[in-house]
Amino acid sequence: MALEPNERPGQPIAKFESMLKTDDVYFFDAEDFQDIIHHYLNNGKIALAKKAIKIGLQQHPGSIELKLLSIEVLVFENNLELAEKMLDELQVLDSNNEEIYIQRANIYSKKDNHEAAVSLLTHALNLTDDSFDIHSLLGMEYLFMDNFEDAKQNFMMCVSYDEEDYSSLYNVIYCFEFLEDYDGAIVYLNDYLERNPYSEVAWHQLGKMYFTKKMHKEALTAFDFAIISDDSFIGAYFEKGKVLEKMGRYNEAIENYETTIAIEDPTSHAYLRIGRCHEKLKNDELAKSYYYRTVHEDPLLDKGWLAITEYYIRQEDYKKALYYINKAINIDGENSKYWKKCGKIHATLKNNDEAYYAYQQAVDLGNYEFDTWFHWADVAVQNLDVHAAIEILLQGHEFYPQRCEMQYKMAGFYLLISDFPRAQYRLLNALKIDLDQLHLFEDEFPQFFNTEWAQNLIEDVKKASR
């Protein structure tokens, strides 16, 4: 397995590269070749690594370590059959070499046989005292298997060996998050910070955990400590801004977002956040200018286009809102959120045909949100196509079978086409799901609510529920 790039001096590398330039032949011991190959592998220079392996094996044909590095490259390049053949040969020579089992595990992992990879890595653990890299590989295999508990334990082992292994620390927290064990993550991070009080990464992650649990004061303190530990840590300023925004401290939030822009090139996400804060402060022109900057910085960020569109909707300037949502659709016509918003605006402008088409596009692109079906059905009724509205709600009902709102609306629609048996079935269902929401039927269909037919049905259900 590759060493860290700076673990040994760079002199052999310079000597090797000089040899390549001059076509002279220099002798290196096998360990120097290993360092040279590790250097190239760590820097993604596979061709040079292969050249070093070839020359290394010419000078040291019996070196198992160099042959294992050759196998590592073969596995990387998916030349798995040859790699396995070479491993079989090496295992006859050195059956207790943990690297043989590690490379076999890598091959099984490439073949998506993660259980076999775990078994081999576990065996490799028993053959060595240097288990850091093996625990890291085990953690990744368990992640592939969605076994977040065992993955977490292995990444914790990595952190215990090297507390500056932030990649493993991030993976530990990722596992806690996936398991929704935010309290466990907080305990773990606080324990880690007892030993590493100036770890900006740990403070940052702790702040995010507190924010998830809506412990805003604690989150703010954690992000402050992250900034004290590294005053150029953009992520801490950004997350601190989000906390301040949630607490209603919009001017302070803006200051933190602006700090991220001052430290590094501006991002669309920072502009978007600043725009939202200004809108909360009623600084409408400033808000609008930052929304424009958002989409200028990243034209593919859907939140930016939706923010501009929502801004004009709140201003009740629906024509401008329509203009900007159409611009967004021209950039990304596969975005269901854009089409849904487009449908809402067209419906407000009474462009019923266009609204119907937009909602249909949203659903076709995978937007199955409850209100999408609801509003699409309403547009169909506005187009005097009640049968289409009923079909839309029947599709939506498959996703939301226990939502009484759909049942009440379907009952009313069936009454519009005088289909009393189906209307009765839907109204009974709605009343059984939630009798307290009967006002929905009364508000939308007063002409039917007050009929003797409906009142008798409602009274029967009320008596049965007493």
Side-chain angles (χ1 to χ4, degrees), residues 87-95 100:
L87 284 168
D88 290 339
E89 293 170 0
L90 286 183
Q91 195 155 357
V92 173
L93 300 172
D94 187 0
S95 62
I100 292 172

Side-chain angles (χ1 to χ4, degrees), residues 220 240-241 244-245 248-257:
L220 210 54
K240 182 182 175 183
L244 290 165
E245 196 178 334
R249 294 159 63 177
Y250 301 113
N251 284 312
E252 293 172 80
I254 289 169
E255 287 175 18
N256 279 272
Y257 295 138

Side-chain angles (χ1 to χ4, degrees), residues 78-350:
N78 285 318
N79 196 344
L80 304 183
E81 193 172 324
L82 180 56
E84 285 185 289
K85 183 180 177 183
M86 288 180 67
L87 284 168
D88 290 339
E89 293 170 0
L90 286 183
Q91 195 155 357
V92 173
L93 300 172
D94 187 0
S95 62
N96 290 323
N97 189 319
E98 76 277 3
E99 188 67 27
I100 292 172
Y101 295 94
I102 290 169
Q103 291 306 326
R104 285 198 190 279
N106 287 337
I107 291 169
Y108 277 115
S109 184
K110 288 245 179 183
K111 293 178 177 180
D112 291 328
N113 189 345
H114 302 294
E115 292 85 353
V118 165
S119 178
L120 286 161
L121 290 169
T122 303
H123 184 70
L125 272 179
N126 298 323
L127 298 174
T128 180
D129 295 327
D130 184 16
S131 58
F132 171 86
D133 286 329
I134 300 175
H135 280 296
S136 180
L137 290 170
L138 273 168
M140 292 308 300
E141 292 304 316
Y142 282 123
L143 281 185
F144 288 133
M145 295 161 64
D146 292 336
N147 183 341
F148 294 96
E149 188 59 49
D150 284 338
K152 181 183 71 177
Q153 295 303 322
N154 278 279
F155 289 126
M156 281 180 173
M157 291 294 291
C158 294
V159 176
S160 71
Y161 290 131
D162 177 8
E163 294 201 321
E164 291 187 5
D165 178 14
Y166 290 134
S167 175
S168 292
L169 181 62
Y170 280 123
N171 281 327
V172 169
I173 303 308
Y174 172 77
C175 292
F176 273 119
E177 284 185 293
F178 201 93
L179 294 165
E180 297 184 357
D181 183 9
Y182 305 111
D183 290 328
I186 288 168
V187 170
Y188 178 80
L189 286 165
N190 274 310
D191 181 60
Y192 177 90
L193 285 162
E194 285 288 326
R195 301 185 303 277
N196 303 276
Y198 296 104
S199 170
E200 71 278 9
V201 171
W203 282 117
H204 178 247
Q205 291 298 307
L206 181 61
K208 290 176 73 174
M209 294 302 103
Y210 281 133
F211 185 62
T212 300
K213 287 182 63 66
K214 297 183 171 58
M215 299 169 69
H216 297 141
K217 288 182 180 178
E218 292 83 355
L220 210 54
T221 300
F223 292 132
D224 279 334
F225 275 115
I227 291 165
I228 290 168
S229 302
D230 179 1
D231 62 5
S232 63
F233 189 2
I234 290 174
Y237 287 108
F238 192 85
E239 295 295 335
K240 182 182 175 183
K242 285 168 64 177
V243 177
L244 290 165
E245 196 178 334
K246 191 65 81 172
M247 296 170 77
R249 294 159 63 177
Y250 301 113
N251 284 312
E252 293 172 80
I254 289 169
E255 287 175 18
N256 279 272
Y257 295 138
E258 287 177 340
T259 301
T260 70
I261 293 170
I263 293 172
E264 202 171 86
D265 290 339
T267 67
S268 56
H269 292 284
Y271 282 146
L272 178 62
R273 288 281 176 182
I274 293 170
R276 285 177 172 163
C277 288
H278 278 301
E279 193 165 0
K280 293 286 186 181
L281 291 166
K282 308 298 182 187
N283 301 330
D284 289 343
E285 288 304 311
L286 275 171
K288 184 170 64 173
S289 71
Y290 276 101
Y291 292 149
Y292 285 143
R293 290 189 208 183
T294 301
V295 294
H296 177 75
E297 189 68 31
D298 183 1
L300 296 180
L301 181 67
D302 58 358
K303 290 180 180 177
W305 292 107
L306 291 170
I308 292 179
T309 303
E310 286 286 0
Y311 170 82
Y312 282 115
I313 288 173
R314 284 190 287 273
Q315 300 289 320
E316 297 186 1
D317 190 342
Y318 296 104
K319 288 187 177 178
K320 275 196 175 178
L322 185 60
Y323 171 78
Y324 282 105
I325 204 64
N326 280 332
K327 281 196 73 167
I329 288 171
N330 287 335
I331 292 169
D332 182 8
E334 300 295 305
N335 190 312
S336 65
K337 291 180 182 177
Y338 292 166
W339 282 107
K340 179 179 177 179
K341 191 66 65 178
C342 184
K344 179 180 177 182
I345 296 165
H346 274 304
T348 303
L349 291 169
K350 306 299 183 188

Side-chain angles (χ1 to χ4, degrees), residues 64-76:
I64 289 177
E65 287 75 17
L66 291 177
K67 288 177 181 178
L68 282 166
L69 285 168
S70 175
I71 291 167
E72 185 173 335
V73 172
L74 288 171
V75 174
F76 176 78

Side-chain angles (χ1 to χ4, degrees), residues 13 20 30 133 160 216 298 360 429 459:
I13 296 160
L20 293 178
D133 286 329
S160 71
H216 297 141
D298 183 1
Q360 186 174 39
N429 278 351
E459 191 57 36

